[in-house]
Amino acid sequence: MLRHAHAEREPARVVVIGAKGFVGGAVCRKFRAAEVEHRGLGRGEVDLQAPEAAEALAAHLRPEDAIVVAAARAPCKNTAMLSENMAMLKAIVDALGRVPVSHVVHVSSDAVYADEPVPLTENSPKAPGTLHGAMHLARDIALSSELKVPLAIVRPSAIYGAADPHDSYGPNRFRRLAAQGKDIVLFGEGEERRDHVLIDDVAELIFRILLRGSTGALNIATGAVHSFRSVAEMVLAAAARDVAITGTPRSGPMPHSGYRPFDPAACRAAFPDFSYISLPDGIRRVQRDTEGAGG
């Protein structure tokens, strides 16, 4: 589903909108390590909810820039947050109307897809069942219909990494509980199976898309699913912690009917030399990074 515009070459400059966030921060670290010229913009530089946001953002842009849009209030839990996210996107669209840049990569979400009993692909039906998914789909459609510049949309599955700000259920929360010597508490018996992707892989693929000027859509998912109980066991093995893993009665239906697989064929076709980091290896890497950082 991705179409490459050219052979690998560095953009003149990359501007990351949402540079203080989980994904935006990882992308900036990747560019810094690769010594690619980039500019990170957070709320301190541009408040995307301010009345003058479009004008303020446009002042930071150059026509030769490539842009990563990684700014969102997520997860989107209510209509107020939905409205805020669309207002932020409107400011971005208006700014890009003033300064038509060379390339845009939008960080969306796998939440745009309906649940299916078979592995999801970029062509799977987009019928979100949550406000979070509806928000991302609306932003995808707005960018696709209103921008007049080359656009790539990436849709990561559940992302994990040391800098996750949401304490999201799964590797991120389990690692923090284990570090505190607390039991890992599962929803039900942790039998749901999900695809988890390391933040480093998300940043790497966005980097490659920028190098190739790629357009279209790409799911960022490993193709492997693991139960949350097995994830908890991997976390404990990496952390060498002796805490309990306990189940709890469910208070509602199992999310995604307990199964959310992806087919990574489009990623393999777009980047044949790229390999995802397996979940056990990724969890061990996060543990090493966290211990090395002293936290």
Side-chain angles (χ1 to χ4, degrees), residues 151-183:
L151 172 67
I153 296 171
V154 296
R155 298 187 175 113
S157 59
I159 307 174
Y160 67 99
D164 162 66
H166 305 298
D167 197 33
S168 52
Y169 180 68
N172 301 309
R173 183 181 301 174
F174 298 167
R175 178 183 57 79
R176 288 170 181 156
L177 287 170
Q180 296 165 15
K182 297 180 179 179
D183 292 350

Side-chain angles (χ1 to χ4, degrees), residues 20 26 59 67 72 81 88 94 113 133 161 169 184-185 196 209 225 227 239 242 257-258 269 273-274 280 284 293:
K20 304 300 183 185
I67 308 297
M81 291 181 71
M88 292 165 66
D94 289 350
Y113 296 111
Y169 180 68
I184 295 175
V185 180
H196 301 272
I209 287 168
V225 292
S227 73
D242 187 19
S257 301
D273 61 335
F274 171 81
R284 284 191 289 269

Side-chain angles (χ1 to χ4, degrees), residues 109-230:
S109 168
D110 75 309
V112 305
Y113 296 111
D115 289 328
E116 295 278 344
V118 296
L120 299 169
T121 73
E122 288 75 5
N123 291 321
S124 294
K126 296 165 189 65
T130 65
L131 278 175
H132 181 68
M135 177 271 288
H136 276 294
L137 183 57
R139 286 163 58 112
D140 291 352
I141 293 171
L143 289 168
S144 298
S145 61
E146 296 192 44
L147 288 190
K148 307 302 181 186
V149 301
L151 172 67
I153 296 171
V154 296
R155 298 187 175 113
S157 59
I159 307 174
Y160 67 99
D164 162 66
H166 305 298
D167 197 33
S168 52
Y169 180 68
N172 301 309
R173 183 181 301 174
F174 298 167
R175 178 183 57 79
R176 288 170 181 156
L177 287 170
Q180 296 165 15
K182 297 180 179 179
D183 292 350
I184 295 175
V185 180
L186 303 172
F187 297 147
E189 293 302 320
E191 60 268 49
E192 316 100 292
R193 291 174 291 164
R194 291 290 306 273
D195 191 314
H196 301 272
V197 62
L198 183 63
I199 184 64
D200 300 16
D201 282 341
V202 177
E204 174 67 23
L205 285 167
I206 291 172
F207 179 68
R208 289 176 178 234
I209 287 168
L210 288 162
L211 291 180
R212 299 294 299 273
S214 311
T215 58
L218 182 71
N219 295 334
I220 300 182
T222 70
V225 292
H226 299 271
S227 73
F228 283 96
R229 179 170 287 275
S230 69

Side-chain angles (χ1 to χ4, degrees), residues 32-79:
R32 191 158 48 248
E35 299 183 343
V36 172
E37 183 181 357
H38 65 283
R39 175 81 189 277
L41 300 177
R43 182 176 293 183
E45 290 76 28
V46 179
D47 181 355
L48 292 174
Q49 297 185 52
E52 69 284 358
E55 181 179 356
L57 176 57
H60 289 280
L61 304 180
R62 306 170 186 166
E64 66 270 20
D65 286 340
I67 308 297
V68 177
V69 179
R73 284 204 62 201
C76 181
K77 297 179 179 180
N78 51 50
T79 52

